[in-house]
Amino acid sequence: MDLNYSPEHETFRRRFRTWLRKNLPARGRGERALAYDDPRRIARAKEWQRKLYEAGYVALTWPRQYGGQGLDVVTQAIVDEELVRARAPGLIGQMGIQMVGPTLIQYGSEEQKRRFLPKILTAEEIWCQGYSEPGAGSDLASLQTRAELVGDEFIVNGQKIWTSNAQFADWMFCLVRTDPSAPKHQGISYLLIDMRSPGITVRPLVQMTGERGFNEVWFDNVRVPRNQLVGGLHQGWQVANATLTHERNMLGAATRTQELFAKLVRLAKLCMREGNPAIEDPVVRQRLAALAMRVEAMKYHAYRQLSDSIAGRPRGIAASVNKLVSTELNHDITACALDLLGSYATQSMHSKFALDRGEWIREFMFTLGMIIGGGTSEIQKNIISERGLGLPREPKGTALQDGAQR
């Protein structure tokens, strides 16, 4: 593991940091890339991504012939790190940039690459992910949305759920069952679906935070041209797993957790206990110290993965470790904040009595959802124990065993 950036990388960091100081929008700092429910906010977010792209700071590791910069993962990690530190707005096209875009580069036809990749980068077209269903969450291979090939079109019927951003997305990358007689990990295909197609119904789901980031999506005889199939027919499971490996570099997530913890420390200095700042209470200090050690461990785990990427070493179970550690640690940080706030903890951002603009109660609820979304902590622990530690597998046919196939 190398903990030092090269002089060239540090020069790049300073240049990007200077660019951010000059170009970061005053409105929208710290806004999440999810739950856009205001057309003006969507327009601002698209404008911000286009500005970053035109300056050369989007999709840095993509090949140049597909609109990227052809740079290394360290440079991309620096951009991710600096965006979080500057509390820049999230990229509205992140799902396209980090998931379907790299998948198309790997599996897509040249026609698909020319059609979709440029508009992913400029945020002209926004993507959502059609994976989960009411009966196929962690056990994704149990999906039942059907696509029947009739001539040169697929006829799609079924339902997806927990679909982030579907209410304003232009396209969906979607898993469908094209051979219902095949074993469940086979007979699945990967389609690109125009969200304006007749027969698609989107129903927003109100989360406990009050936001409408998730959606139900219904397909009623939706026609999808065959040339929007990615990879081979019935080969969607292989393509889907490639999409799942194209995850954001861990360093960005680690930096976000560091920022959240720094915010917690500031809160501990403001809140009072028995006439003194809470941070002077030895019990509070002990709790903060325990969290600080976990934050540092997460940071160095991120550096190790960055070193592995540079050396070309396989990721192994790193993605599951990332997901498990980051979501549970973020939730524990917010839980500590609520304890510090005491009776003020439940005040929403609309209350005049709210401290820190009421953001902590929202973060607490949001981070709880992240422990469940994208594969629960139980699923991640199974993957780590079985694939990483070589422990016995769950009995065949159980939900946890099947979910680990993701």
Side-chain angles (χ1 to χ4, degrees), residues 32-37 95 128-132 159-169 172 195 201-218 323 362 365-375:
R32 295 186 180 276
L34 299 179
Y36 293 98
D37 52 9
M95 212 168 277
C128 61
Q129 180 185 38
Y131 278 19
S132 295
Q159 179 190 4
K160 297 294 180 178
I161 199 165
W162 313 126
T163 310
S164 301
N165 302 343
Q167 72 272 41
F168 62 85
M172 172 189 286
M195 292 296 287
T201 301
V202 178
R203 299 175 182 170
L205 298 169
V206 180
Q207 300 157 230
M208 58 183 169
T209 60
E211 297 169 330
R212 295 171 180 260
F214 293 136
N215 302 269
E216 293 177 298
V217 181
W218 296 83
K323 203 279 179 181
R362 181 204 173 279
M365 293 186 287
F366 182 84
T367 54
L368 176 60
M370 290 299 98
I371 291 175
I372 301 169

Side-chain angles (χ1 to χ4, degrees), residues 137-140 379 383 387 398-406:
S138 295
D139 184 12
L140 180 61
I379 292 293
I383 294 172
R387 298 184 188 178
T398 65
L400 282 179
Q401 192 273 339
D402 291 336
Q405 298 297 320
R406 293 185 63 183

Side-chain angles (χ1 to χ4, degrees), residues 261-297:
F261 179 71
K263 185 178 175 183
L264 173 65
V265 172
R266 290 194 294 270
L267 180 68
K269 294 176 181 178
L270 292 174
C271 292
M272 304 298 291
R273 285 201 172 185
E274 299 182 357
N276 297 309
I279 199 167
E280 296 179 7
D281 186 311
V283 175
V284 172
R285 292 178 66 84
Q286 184 69 23
R287 189 170 177 182
L288 291 174
L291 289 170
M293 288 188 286
R294 292 170 62 188
V295 171
E296 285 296 294

Side-chain angles (χ1 to χ4, degrees), residues 247 250 301 305 308 314-325 380 383-384:
E247 298 176 0
M250 176 64 171
H301 179 62
Q305 288 180 65
D308 286 343
R315 290 172 57 92
I317 58 168
S320 290
V321 174
N322 295 348
K323 203 279 179 181
L324 176 67
V325 169
Q380 307 309 325
I383 294 172
I384 293 166

Side-chain angles (χ1 to χ4, degrees), residues 131 133-145 160 177 184-185 188 237 397 399 402-403:
Y131 278 19
E133 299 180 7
S138 295
D139 184 12
L140 180 61
S142 294
L143 65 93
Q144 295 300 312
T145 294
K160 297 294 180 178
R177 190 160 296 283
K184 69 178 186 177
H185 289 89
I188 293 172
W237 192 251
D402 291 336

